[in-house]
Amino acid sequence: MYGQRKSGREHRHSYGNEGNRGYPPKKKGDSKGKHGERKPPMYLIPGETRKLLPNPLRSIENLSLKLEKYAPFALDKKGSRKASLKDLHNSLKLENNILKLYGKFFGLYTVMLKDLNATSFTMKTTSRLVVGLGDESVYEVSIRLMRNYSVPYIPGTALKGVTKAYTIEMLAELLTEHSDLCNDFFECAGNVQEWLNGGAVGNFPEKVGVENISKQLEEFLRIFLREPIPEEIPVRKMAETAVMMFGTTEKEGSVVFFDALLLQEALEGLGGEIFEFDIMNPHYGQYYQGEGNSNPPGDWYDPVPVLFLTVKEGVEFIFAVGRSKACKNPQLVDKAARILKLALKEHGVGAKTSLGYGRFVEV
């Protein structure tokens, strides 16, 4: 009834490890016991659910479900409850049942790529990979996983973005180093992005003379030009190709970038052990959080370690690109695949790429 007080049992959450139910202790303190051992984690779940799952970390096979719905909590130094990613360290291995289910899904995925006549290739990580680090999460940090299989993947939108960003960088380097159109690289990159997004290829010079180009730029030019590379580069024609490939703000592109999935054989070969913990250790939290930089970045602040989950080095993914309905030139797909390979090798994908994360190499 309206206004009637509900019983405490209906609101009660579960804490502890083996059937300890009730409200959290009022006494403040950290998550360690009297002798320094770590206390069992708390689970903020209804009591009735707790009866069915006395230990969620052991009862649930789906890692994604553990992370999102059954997050373990611990008390910090101030006595506040905080999601504890550390308590999942023994639950990161993907179970055999999950691997079997993912194997069936992966088989359907490869059949789809074949039916669509997509161009696919495999690459493996040469560093740790984390996609979706900034996604909303109770842990402050996150990782992008397939909800039903707990397997990490790379969205096609991210792959299209890194491919286009690499194209913009190479065109900006070409114009900055070998033309009088612009002198500042970052300003030039902004202009190139604006021109490509608007389809304004007429703003690009028709040709640019080059000499002593970087190895990275040379590899990029070989995708568009026949060997040997001519002394004058048809920049405008390359920009037209990029616009057809990626599209504009008003028109869709000719190339479709599919989600990159973890290779089934590689996943089984690693026994489902594909995750590793990593740590961020910001020292100047109060400086970054202060308004108007009222707190100087001093060495007297306590560092605040932040644990996050990554895909470890040496894990293989399958990447694929295909033709959209608007595609009239099949060669665009091959060019897009080659640019994507360079972008994954040189730039990487996901979070923290400036620190070397997310790099790939061809298998």
Side-chain angles (χ1 to χ4, degrees), residues 34 52 68 110 132 134 166 168 176 187 204 210 224 229 258 271 284 295 305 310 342 346 359:
K34 295 181 179 180
L52 299 175
E68 295 181 11
T110 54
Y166 189 78
I168 291 172
T176 304
E187 180 182 355
F204 290 88
V210 297
F224 293 88
I229 295 177
F258 295 92
Y284 312 120
N295 299 308
T310 69
L342 284 179
E346 301 292 343
R359 298 291 198 279

Side-chain angles (χ1 to χ4, degrees), residues 30-154:
D30 58 21
S31 298
K32 294 185 178 180
K34 295 181 179 180
H35 302 288
E37 70 277 7
R38 187 171 180 81
K39 292 181 180 180
M42 303 176 289
Y43 299 96
L44 305 185
I45 57 178
E48 296 300 322
T49 304
R50 179 62 173 171
K51 292 179 181 179
L52 299 175
L53 298 172
N55 191 330
L57 292 184
R58 296 180 181 177
S59 305
I60 300 174
E61 294 182 342
N62 190 314
L63 177 60
S64 180
L65 187 61
K66 294 178 187 179
L67 287 170
E68 295 181 11
K69 300 298 182 181
Y70 295 92
F73 280 75
L75 296 178
D76 61 16
K77 295 180 179 180
K78 298 180 180 180
S80 301
R81 295 191 300 267
K82 188 175 183 180
S84 175
L85 196 60
K86 184 187 301 184
D87 285 297
L88 290 168
H89 70 282
N90 290 326
S91 304
L92 298 181
K93 179 181 177 180
L94 299 182
E95 302 292 340
N96 290 331
N97 290 337
I98 296 294
L99 298 183
K100 291 179 181 179
L101 291 173
Y102 177 73
K104 295 179 180 179
F105 171 80
F106 185 83
L108 295 174
Y109 174 80
T110 54
V111 170
M112 178 196 70
L113 295 181
K114 185 177 180 180
D115 290 343
L116 295 175
N117 197 27
T119 299
S120 62
F121 56 91
T122 58
M123 300 184 77
K124 68 177 180 180
T125 55
T126 59
S127 60
R128 288 174 172 172
L129 167 71
V130 53
V131 177
L133 184 66
D135 289 352
E136 184 177 357
S137 172
V138 70
Y139 301 100
E140 299 181 272
V141 290
S142 185
I143 187 172
R144 192 72 56 84
L145 301 177
M146 301 182 73
R147 185 172 184 178
N148 293 336
Y149 309 107
S150 308
V151 176
Y153 73 101
I154 307 174

Side-chain angles (χ1 to χ4, degrees), residues 251-325:
K251 185 179 179 180
E252 68 174 296
S254 298
V255 178
V256 175
F257 292 79
F258 295 92
D259 293 348
L261 301 187
L262 202 149
L263 204 64
Q264 179 192 1
E265 294 84 354
L267 181 59
E268 293 177 348
L270 294 170
E273 297 182 356
I274 56 174
F275 296 106
E276 287 181 342
F277 277 127
D278 207 336
I279 190 171
M280 292 182 284
N281 204 22
H283 284 67
Y284 312 120
Q286 296 185 34
Y287 166 71
Y288 292 120
Q289 296 173 7
E291 296 182 2
N293 294 334
S294 57
N295 299 308
D299 292 333
W300 52 85
Y301 297 128
D302 291 331
V304 183
V306 178
L307 205 64
F308 63 98
L309 203 56
T310 69
V311 178
K312 67 182 183 180
E313 178 184 346
V315 177
E316 295 181 36
F317 283 78
I318 180 171
F319 300 85
V321 293
R323 299 172 56 182
S324 71
K325 295 180 180 179

Side-chain angles (χ1 to χ4, degrees), residues 162-170 216 220 342-343 346-347:
V162 73
T163 306
K164 185 175 181 179
Y166 189 78
T167 301
I168 291 172
E169 179 182 334
M170 291 295 98
Q216 191 174 343
F220 177 78
L342 284 179
E346 301 292 343
H347 269 197

Side-chain angles (χ1 to χ4, degrees), residues 244 251 254 323-332:
M244 288 188 292
K251 185 179 179 180
S254 298
R323 299 172 56 182
S324 71
K325 295 180 180 179
C327 183
K328 298 180 180 180
N329 184 359
Q331 294 182 354
L332 291 175

Side-chain angles (χ1 to χ4, degrees), residues 3-25:
Q4 183 177 359
R5 183 179 180 182
K6 295 184 179 180
S7 65
R9 185 176 182 181
E10 292 177 294
H11 290 281
R12 188 169 294 166
H13 296 290
S14 299
Y15 300 88
N17 192 22
E18 295 296 335
N20 294 330
R21 295 189 296 273
Y23 293 97

